[in-house]
Amino acid sequence: SQQGEEDPQALSIQEGENATMNCSYKTSINNLQWYRQNSGRGLVHLILIRSNEREKHSGRLRVTLDTSKKSSSLLITASRAADTASYFCATDELGGGADGLTFGKGTHLIIQP
Amino acid sequence: DTAVSQTPKYLVTQMGNDKSIKCEQNLGHDTMYWYKQDSKKFLKIMFSYNNKELIINETVPNRFSPKSPDKAHLNLHINSLELGDSAVYFCASSQDPGDEQFFGPGTRLTVL
């Protein structure tokens, strides 16, 4: 069954504004990761947050994790046209062994110049 | 240097054919994966391979089989291709299961 669900499915904002994407999941996890996919390309890892962490920063990215609500958010500050891409959350499920990550359906972000 | 590479980038073939997609990683990772991304961009794990242990997603038809000649390679063989196999297939690797994954550029498979 679908583990991660991103919200919204699509988001269009003006350059310079902040973009927030949310992810909900169903099972207990070891960590949650966010990836970016530019059109026609492979996924690129952005940030990993462990289940015992609540917030993590990397450059213009800020990720929060609320394990009680089984949700995470990705904030991109001061957006740029180059941030236009699809963003996926992925969970490493507790007890999942070598199963790999379970990906959500993604949020398509468009930054208007 | 490309960390995870796949060939071919595009593959167009007829129904019923057998085809292979190659994947190589030069990161020294112990775990490799194959994912299928459909037209709605939904990414589904197909296989993971770690220290000679193969884990198969139960929804994957047995027409799909991964082959690992060595730690750096995990190739995907597909027999008797069907229209529904049309998708983009991504190879990925990580040091350990659950770590950040490095993705290849994808192979767009079109079955006619």
Side-chain angles (χ1 to χ4, degrees):
Chain A
S1 62
Q2 180 66 25
Q3 167 74 324
E5 294 278 350
E6 286 91 341
D7 169 52
Q9 290 187 347
L11 178 63
S12 179
I13 61 173
Q14 293 297 122
E15 195 167 19
E17 293 180 341
N18 296 341
T20 300
M21 288 157 271
N22 302 298
C23 168
S24 60
Y25 58 92
K26 295 175 181 157
T27 65
S28 296
I29 61 172
N30 293 311
N31 66 63
L32 183 144
Q33 303 177 32
W34 285 91
Y35 288 79
R36 183 187 73 228
Q37 184 179 30
N38 290 90
S39 181
R41 308 286 290 273
L43 280 75
V44 174
H45 181 267
L46 295 176
I47 199 163
L48 182 154
I49 186 165
R50 302 193 186 282
S51 60
N52 62 352
E53 298 175 311
R54 292 296 165 259
E55 188 170 312
K56 206 159 182 182
H57 297 256
S58 177
R60 293 184 296 113
L61 306 181
R62 173 178 164 252
V63 167
T64 63
L65 179 64
D66 187 334
T67 52
S68 66
K69 294 181 180 177
K70 291 187 168 57
S71 68
S72 173
S73 68
L74 170 66
L75 168 68
I76 303 174
T77 60
S79 63
R80 305 167 181 168
D83 294 329
T84 293
S86 292
Y87 291 82
F88 295 86
C89 70
T91 51
D92 176 33
E93 297 179 22
L94 193 64
D99 285 0
L101 304 176
T102 303
F103 282 81
K105 293 181 179 179
T107 292
H108 185 51
L109 175 65
I110 298 172
I111 308 299
Q112 308 277 5
Chain B
D1 284 345
T2 303
V4 182
S5 59
Q6 295 177 228
T7 54
K9 189 168 174 62
Y10 299 97
L11 184 54
V12 181
T13 188
Q14 299 287 332
M15 260 194 323
N17 284 350
D18 303 336
K19 290 293 177 186
S20 295
I21 306 172
K22 294 186 176 180
C23 176
E24 177 181 1
Q25 55 96 3
N26 62 8
L27 298 167
H29 286 165
D30 287 335
T31 312
M32 296 184 72
Y33 313 86
W34 276 103
Y35 290 89
K36 178 182 180 182
Q37 188 173 44
D38 62 22
S39 58
K40 295 183 179 178
K41 291 207 162 184
F42 179 46
L43 203 66
K44 185 178 80 170
I45 181 79
M46 300 177 70
F47 304 100
S48 66
Y49 191 80
N50 171 264
N51 287 330
K52 300 186 180 179
E53 180 190 7
L54 177 66
I55 295 181
I56 303 170
N57 184 318
E58 60 192 16
T59 67
V60 175
N62 58 14
R63 297 180 294 104
F64 291 78
S65 58
K67 300 258 190 320
S68 181
D70 55 59
K71 198 175 92 162
H73 297 83
L74 185 67
N75 303 324
L76 182 65
H77 298 272
I78 316 170
N79 294 326
S80 302
L81 277 156
E82 300 178 357
L83 292 176
D85 297 333
S86 295
V88 181
Y89 292 83
F90 287 99
C91 176
S93 73
S94 66
Q95 180 53 39
D96 292 312
D99 286 352
E100 68 169 287
Q101 293 185 11
F102 292 78
F103 280 76
T107 295
R108 182 174 292 277
L109 172 65
T110 302
V111 182
L112 304 175

